[in-house]
Amino acid sequence: MDNDSTFDAVLFDFSGTLFDDTGVLDARGLATRTGLPEPEAATTLSRVLAHVDSPASLKARKGGDLSVEAHRAVWTGLIAEAGPFPDGVVEAVYAGLTDPAGWRPYPDVLPVLTELRARGLKLGVLSNIGWDLRPALAAAGVLELLDVVVLSCEHGVEKPDPELFAVARRELPGRVLYVGDDPVKDGAAVRAGMPVYLLPSERSVDRPRGLSAVLRLAA
């Protein structure tokens, strides 16, 4: 951030910034989708999460948000590698990952975005993602507040490539503040001419994300 805190628009990251990414996959949901006993569903998800978040899998996930097809191929492949699992489990886990109902906004998202909008600022969301998150935004009452939604899977480019930020920048007027949580991917917004505010890494779906600071920055 620099000393000039007058902005015309605010652009937000999605996962880990506006919507919680720590509890999307849950044992009850997987049990419902597959018929597995809930304890077995919980064990399955533990295996999946341990594998997909391993250093090797993080490398394999690169490029997975460039298209819907790439996302499905990368993620179902990694989920399957955590197995073997009974028939239907891999697709059920993937369905849970991309289910809009599984993505919950932090408690301060709607109030902060509503206030920013009331102040006359333009708003947008920019995300590395391989599926259409607009239904999740709509269910939370957020979509109607946004002027632009930029998804990597719709443009074939991912953060930290400045071109993805440039797509949003062309749609938003004046001086734009970018809000995210990843120093590398979100911090790259500065290369597209946007000051960046990074949220702390600690987060919980039931706690405010600290977005009230944006109200002070954008005042």
Side-chain angles (χ1 to χ4, degrees):
M1 292 296 301
D2 54 35
N3 292 328
D4 185 352
S5 59
T6 300
F7 295 98
D8 302 291
V10 183
L11 186 62
F12 294 90
D13 172 49
F14 173 75
S15 176
T17 297
L18 295 181
F19 282 65
D20 184 60
D21 58 344
T22 64
V24 176
L25 295 174
D26 68 286
R28 181 174 297 179
L30 183 59
T32 299
R33 289 186 175 93
T34 61
L36 291 174
E38 196 166 320
E40 186 176 346
T43 299
T44 295
L45 288 181
S46 294
R47 288 167 60 186
V48 167
L49 291 172
H51 180 68
V52 301
D53 289 333
S54 68
S57 294
L58 290 174
K59 290 182 180 179
R61 283 159 55 178
K62 186 176 181 180
D65 292 326
L66 291 176
S67 70
V68 172
E69 295 76 15
H71 189 269
R72 173 177 286 277
V74 168
W75 279 92
T76 55
L78 290 173
I79 294 165
E81 287 175 4
F85 300 123
D87 290 347
V89 168
V90 170
E91 286 297 329
V93 173
Y94 184 76
L97 177 67
T98 58
D99 182 0
W103 289 84
R104 296 170 55 194
Y106 297 105
D108 49 347
V109 168
L110 190 57
V112 168
L113 268 63
T114 299
E115 175 60 24
L116 290 169
R117 190 70 178 181
R119 295 182 184 182
L121 278 76
K122 300 291 185 180
L123 302 176
V125 165
L126 182 148
S127 177
N128 276 2
I129 201 156
W131 50 275
D132 187 2
L133 54 76
R134 292 179 184 85
L137 295 169
V142 173
L143 186 61
E144 63 190 33
L145 300 173
L146 302 176
D147 297 280
V148 62
V149 176
V150 176
L151 311 182
S152 61
C153 63
E154 295 179 349
H155 295 277
V157 62
E158 296 176 318
K159 297 179 291 184
D161 191 321
E163 178 54 32
L164 191 64
F165 298 101
V167 172
R169 191 67 184 84
R170 290 192 287 269
E171 301 293 328
L172 295 172
R175 195 160 185 267
V176 182
L177 171 67
Y178 188 83
V179 181
D181 67 310
D182 187 306
V184 175
K185 295 178 181 179
D186 295 323
V190 298
R191 295 161 60 194
M194 288 181 278
V196 176
Y197 179 70
L198 291 177
L199 298 167
S201 59
E202 297 80 10
R203 55 193 181 271
S204 171
V205 67
D206 296 318
R207 296 202 309 267
R209 192 65 178 92
L211 294 171
S212 59
V214 179
L215 295 176
R216 297 190 295 273
L217 292 171

